[in-house]
Amino acid sequence: EPEVTQTPSHQVTQMGQEVILRCVPISNHLYFYWYRQILGQKVEFLVSFYNNEISEKSEIFDDQFSVERPDGSNFTLKIRSTKLEDSAMYFCASSNGKTNTGELFFGEGSRLTVL
Amino acid sequence: GDSVTQMEGPVTLSEEAFLTINCTYTATGYPSLFWYVQYPGEGLQLLLKATKADDKGSNKGFEATYRKETTSFHLEKGSVQVSDSAVYFCALTSGTYKYIFGTGTRLKVLA
């Protein structure tokens, strides 16, 4: 069964360092997403991506964040200069349609710990 | 803005007990509603969904009914198993590109 894969599963970094989280969405999907969950809090939408551009982003997704689909298979989230409050589980998801018509398929998550 | 509120966990039940996990929502318009489940070490998986009022979503013995009058989408199962132990997330979308999730409710089922 096709699945969304994420790497790394856990990354520990120092505050101020750049981090890249990688995702391989399901191959025939066209919509890609990043969500995050700070421990004990809600799963929060960060950004959606379609047709090689951001289609929607939340207020959390500031200039420190960027997304890219560099090679037609990977979908990356970059945090330029990490802050302590960026520590969270980051989930990648993909779908083949808009959310109310297509199911979101999630990866297992990448846990980011900023020290 | 749109929001989802779930009951606090953890919920601990004995095997074969009845399960209810409450979920209420606030949304403009007519959202679609979902329950996602996260088993240990795995990503979120769609459990069931309902796209309009009075629809009932069901899967693997779980059910939830879209109640517009009470803005609720409570998850129920008549007889839980140990294998149902997981974190359950209620979510909604109003037809945009994003889901709004609740905080998740951890369920632990004891043999």
Side-chain angles (χ1 to χ4, degrees):
Chain A
E1 186 174 323
E3 59 181 17
V4 176
T5 57
Q6 289 185 241
T7 54
S9 56
H10 189 193
Q11 182 159 354
V12 180
T13 190
Q14 295 291 324
M15 191 167 57
Q17 294 297 302
E18 177 182 284
V19 161
I20 297 176
L21 305 179
R22 291 183 169 80
C23 170
V24 180
I26 293 173
S27 61
N28 63 342
H29 284 183
L30 301 176
Y31 298 82
F32 314 111
Y33 309 82
W34 284 100
Y35 286 78
R36 78 173 186 190
Q37 186 180 30
I38 295 170
L39 189 64
Q41 298 186 25
K42 296 187 177 189
V43 175
E44 301 172 296
F45 169 79
L46 293 179
V47 66
S48 60
F49 191 87
Y50 170 71
N51 200 25
N52 284 318
E53 61 183 22
I54 291 174
S55 47
E56 190 169 354
K57 61 182 181 179
S58 72
E59 59 276 8
I60 301 168
F61 195 88
D62 62 21
D63 291 343
Q64 293 297 318
F65 291 88
S66 62
V67 290
E68 195 177 34
R69 188 157 162 80
D71 56 14
S73 62
N74 289 284
F75 179 52
T76 61
L77 175 69
K78 181 192 290 186
I79 309 174
R80 265 184 212 91
S81 177
T82 50
K83 304 187 282 286
L84 295 177
E85 54 266 37
D86 294 327
S87 295
M89 180 72 89
Y90 288 81
F91 293 103
C92 175
S94 70
S95 76
N96 57 10
K98 286 191 179 181
T99 52
N100 62 343
T101 58
E103 176 183 344
L104 277 187
F105 292 80
F106 284 86
E108 294 180 6
S110 293
R111 181 171 298 284
L112 175 64
T113 302
V114 182
L115 303 176
Chain B
D2 294 355
S3 67
V4 172
T5 303
Q6 284 182 241
M7 62 187 289
E8 293 281 335
V11 174
T12 302
L13 297 173
S14 298
E15 209 165 22
E16 299 182 4
F18 185 85
L19 168 71
T20 300
I21 300 177
N22 290 338
C23 171
T24 56
Y25 68 90
T26 302
T28 54
Y30 304 96
S32 295
L33 303 173
F34 306 82
W35 278 99
Y36 272 77
V37 58
Q38 185 179 31
Y39 298 104
E42 300 183 16
L44 284 74
Q45 303 171 25
L46 179 64
L47 180 60
L48 53 84
K49 69 178 182 182
T51 56
K52 60 183 189 298
D54 300 324
D55 269 2
K56 178 186 281 188
S58 61
N59 186 25
K60 300 181 181 179
F62 291 89
E63 292 182 342
T65 301
Y66 188 142
R67 301 283 188 204
K68 186 169 179 290
E69 64 277 11
T70 54
T71 61
S72 65
F73 192 56
H74 304 322
L75 182 68
E76 296 182 335
K77 186 174 187 183
S79 176
V80 293
Q81 305 300 312
V82 172
S83 56
D84 294 325
S85 297
V87 182
Y88 292 82
F89 293 90
C90 185
L92 70 80
T93 181
S94 295
T96 65
Y97 291 98
K98 65 181 182 184
Y99 280 44
I100 307 294
F101 284 87
T103 51
T105 302
R106 183 174 299 279
L107 170 66
K108 185 173 182 180
V109 180
L110 304 176

